[in-house]
Amino acid sequence: MSLLTSKPKGTADVLPGESEKIVFMENKLRECAALYGFCELRTPVFEHTELFQRGVGETTDVVQKEMYTFEDNGRRSITLRPEGTAGTVRAFLEHGLFNEPLPQKYFYLTSCYRYEKPQAGRLREFHQFGVEALGAGSPAEDAEIISLAKHIFDLFGVEKLRLEINSIGCPVCRKSFQAALRDYFTSYKDKLCETCLTRLEKNPMRILDCKSPVCGEIAKGAPRVLDYLCAECEDHFAQVKKYLTVMGIDFTVNPTIVRGLDYYTKTVFEFVSDAIGAQGTVCGGGRYDGLVGELGGVPLPACGFGMGIERLKLLLEAQETEFPPPDRVQLYLAPANAAYSFEAMRLCETLRSEGVSAQTDVAGRSLKAQMKYANKLSARFTLVLGEDEISTHLAKVKNMDTGEEKEVSLDRLAGDFLKILLSAQLGDIPAADAEEIKLTLLNGGKNTWNV
Ligand code: ATP
Ligand code: MG
């Protein structure tokens, strides 16, 4: 296997046919974000390693085992972002965005990098849609972001998805919970995996998140965080549940969810599907009231979620969601011989400047081979440029779906062709009205034309 023709393990190429699906999903995600008032924030692919060590947490799997960390030529330790929250909060602090009206609500659509064992729904380069609401402490915000995630799933018609929520408390109640966990797990010291033994010292709550079956089995009998919540956290959780209930959002409380990143406090949640195998968590998030302060800012409450784009796509494919068909070439211009290629290229220019997708021969093919190619492209219309067409400036546009032909003037090709496109789309329309009609439907609504 040549390294020159094989991608690194755990990465994916998105080929035409698939990329349109991703773009369709991304567009919908952007629309949903806008509906809830979240604005896009873009951060670099790499950050100082310290940001993730501090932000994600030293005892997490992500920091301990999964980061792509390297020294750059300036001898700085750099890490490819394993998640989007730390960078978002860093940018929020760096640009003084805490001076803007709060909450600041951001979304991102980015690649993330984790050195993991690749399998279905688990890649080393993957993509997340994430939202973060910074400066919002009310349980209403927890409910709002959960509602946004649910809105996305509803919009895509996702069925059979469970929303599981939990509260993991704040540093105050976490202390007594961690102590109870330490007591409990200490009695299983000889059975825990090696990583969990370090966790037992540093952060016993992380043991609950261990993927080893033995540790998982032991964790089943562990103390439950909900029994240790302080009054404030308990009230916060009760209110989140109340908001969700009045908003008509079904949920179950799953006291075993602790999430894999250290910054979470109070509410945590996951949207889980059974339809896509072992990697069933499509979206995970919660409140992280400690992170802004941890990264050196004034303590500000915040919450957000990350949604895996690849897992969302697997989910849509598992339920056979229909994606819109790819855009078709609207007009393929076929010069009957090489001498007419100049005119074909000129006409393509005029068509494209009017927003009509047009193609012509760029491979020096015979007319027959060109028509075969146009068919493979599923061009909607074709036009042959031969001697007659060149001399009379009149040509026939052929509808490849119906076989119907209509005459056009090469001197007014864009206008004439747009009318043909329009009537193919809307049926015959009176010429007088055509003047008034804006073509928003054609070309997927990307342009409007006055015909
Ligand atoms: P998991 O338990 O599956 O490892 P996680 O708790 O590490 O997930 P988060 O850090 O919360 O995941 O990331 C949010 C979302 O990003 C996940 O719910 C999932 O949809 C997606 N995700 C996380 N890691 C990967 C990965 N390696 N490949 C593809 N998607 C991923
Ligand atoms: Mg993980």
Side-chain angles (χ1 to χ4, degrees):
M1 187 175 65
S2 164
L3 291 182
L4 298 181
T5 53
S6 53
K7 54 189 161 23
K9 203 171 155 181
T11 62
D13 297 314
V14 183
L15 307 182
E18 290 303 300
S19 57
E20 291 85 353
K21 294 183 189 175
I22 302 272
V23 170
F24 170 75
M25 288 165 58
E26 288 175 348
N27 289 342
K28 292 263 176 244
L29 291 166
R30 286 174 194 283
E31 280 167 27
C32 291
L35 196 63
Y36 282 72
F38 287 76
C39 306
E40 185 165 7
L41 190 145
R42 297 187 186 200
T43 59
V45 169
F46 57 86
E47 299 269 3
H48 297 297
T49 301
E50 291 79 356
L51 175 68
F52 302 115
Q53 287 170 333
R54 186 63 87 81
V56 176
E58 290 280 8
T59 56
T60 58
D61 271 2
V62 169
V63 169
Q64 288 197 335
K65 309 185 205 157
E66 298 172 0
M67 295 208 302
Y68 277 91
T69 298
F70 60 95
E71 200 173 79
D72 71 5
N73 288 344
R75 315 209 59 169
R76 292 171 205 93
S77 180
I78 292 293
T79 295
L80 303 186
R81 70 173 156 237
E83 52 90 65
T85 306
T88 303
V89 174
R90 196 265 312 134
F92 173 77
L93 294 174
E94 185 164 347
H95 300 280
L97 299 173
F98 43 82
N99 293 318
E100 303 293 320
L102 296 177
Q104 285 284 296
K105 304 203 286 186
Y106 309 119
F107 81 88
Y108 52 82
L109 254 167
T110 54
S111 56
C112 298
Y113 303 84
R114 296 184 192 178
Y115 192 80
E116 299 198 75
K117 198 170 154 237
Q119 47 201 293
R122 192 176 292 288
L123 292 131
R124 291 184 175 170
E125 180 185 63
F126 63 99
H127 296 79
Q128 275 191 357
F129 168 75
V131 305
E132 318 288 357
L134 298 164
S138 158
E141 188 56 66
D142 309 45
E144 181 176 68
I145 62 157
I146 290 174
S147 157
L148 168 50
K150 171 150 191 308
H151 184 88
I152 291 167
F153 295 125
D154 286 349
L155 194 76
F156 284 115
V158 173
E159 292 154 8
K160 299 190 200 110
L161 199 65
R162 294 190 303 282
L163 165 61
E164 302 187 346
I165 65 169
N166 191 23
S167 171
I168 56 170
C170 63
V172 178
C173 42
R174 186 89 50 85
K175 257 195 201 120
S176 52
F177 178 54
Q178 293 272 45
L181 284 177
R182 197 168 279 126
D183 279 353
Y184 173 81
F185 284 117
T186 303
S187 53
Y188 293 94
K189 229 174 164 173
D190 47 338
K191 295 207 180 93
L192 293 176
C193 74
E194 229 162 84
T195 325
C196 281
L197 286 177
T198 0
R199 290 168 170 154
L200 187 57
E201 297 296 315
K202 293 190 179 158
N203 187 356
M205 204 173 81
R206 283 273 74 84
I207 303 175
L208 301 176
D209 212 29
C210 184
K211 302 263 163 24
S212 127
V214 179
C215 301
E217 205 45 51
I218 299 172
K220 280 187 186 156
R224 294 295 164 97
V225 62
L226 292 177
D227 299 328
Y228 292 82
L229 295 186
C230 65
E232 192 204 318
C233 288
E234 204 167 279
D235 179 53
H236 188 97
F237 193 44
Q239 288 200 52
V240 171
K241 289 188 282 188
K242 186 168 177 187
Y243 276 113
L244 294 177
T245 306
V246 299
M247 291 161 83
I249 299 172
D250 293 336
F251 61 87
T252 52
V253 175
N254 177 352
T256 66
I257 300 178
V258 292
R259 311 284 310 126
L261 314 172
D262 265 357
Y263 48 61
Y264 286 111
T265 52
K266 295 183 178 162
T267 319
V268 288
F269 65 88
E270 294 184 347
F271 282 86
V272 191
S273 162
D274 295 324
I276 53 171
Q279 269 50 253
T281 308
V282 191
C283 173
R287 179 162 281 287
Y288 49 93
D289 290 348
L291 184 59
V292 179
E294 183 69 30
L295 296 182
V298 220
L300 270 181
C303 56
F305 69 68
M307 186 180 288
I309 300 292
E310 287 81 2
R311 287 191 200 172
L312 177 61
K313 184 159 171 280
L314 283 177
L315 197 59
L316 300 187
E317 285 165 352
Q319 59 171 41
E320 294 174 10
T321 299
E322 273 201 34
F323 289 91
D327 288 345
R328 295 170 66 180
V329 181
Q330 287 163 348
L331 183 59
Y332 184 91
L333 283 133
N337 71 53
Y340 306 142
S341 167
F342 295 97
E343 179 62 358
M345 287 292 275
R346 189 188 70 79
L347 289 169
C348 274
E349 287 292 288
T350 61
L351 286 163
R352 290 166 179 161
S353 68
E354 292 296 326
V356 177
S357 78
Q359 292 200 45
T360 184
D361 177 51
V362 286
R365 288 198 173 102
S366 70
L367 185 57
K368 196 173 156 204
Q370 285 186 59
M371 296 319 280
K372 224 168 143 182
Y373 180 69
N375 254 324
K376 285 201 177 137
L377 292 180
S378 16
R380 284 184 79 184
F381 294 88
T382 54
L383 182 158
V384 176
L385 269 185
E387 201 184 330
D388 283 356
E389 287 79 9
I390 295 289
S391 61
T392 61
H393 292 216
L394 293 171
K396 290 214 166 64
V397 162
K398 181 173 176 184
N399 184 326
M400 298 301 279
D401 298 331
T402 63
E404 191 190 355
E405 292 191 322
K406 280 195 178 157
E407 195 170 72
V408 290
S409 154
L410 296 185
D411 301 326
R412 298 186 307 269
L413 182 57
D416 282 2
F417 180 63
L418 281 169
K419 281 176 197 154
I420 293 173
L421 264 183
L422 187 62
S423 59
Q425 198 96 358
L426 302 177
D428 276 327
I429 44 150
D433 292 351
E435 209 62 39
E436 312 252 327
I437 293 178
K438 282 200 168 176
L439 278 154
T440 48
L441 294 172
L442 302 172
N443 205 20
K446 282 173 210 133
N447 287 304
T448 55
W449 296 285
N450 284 312
V451 183

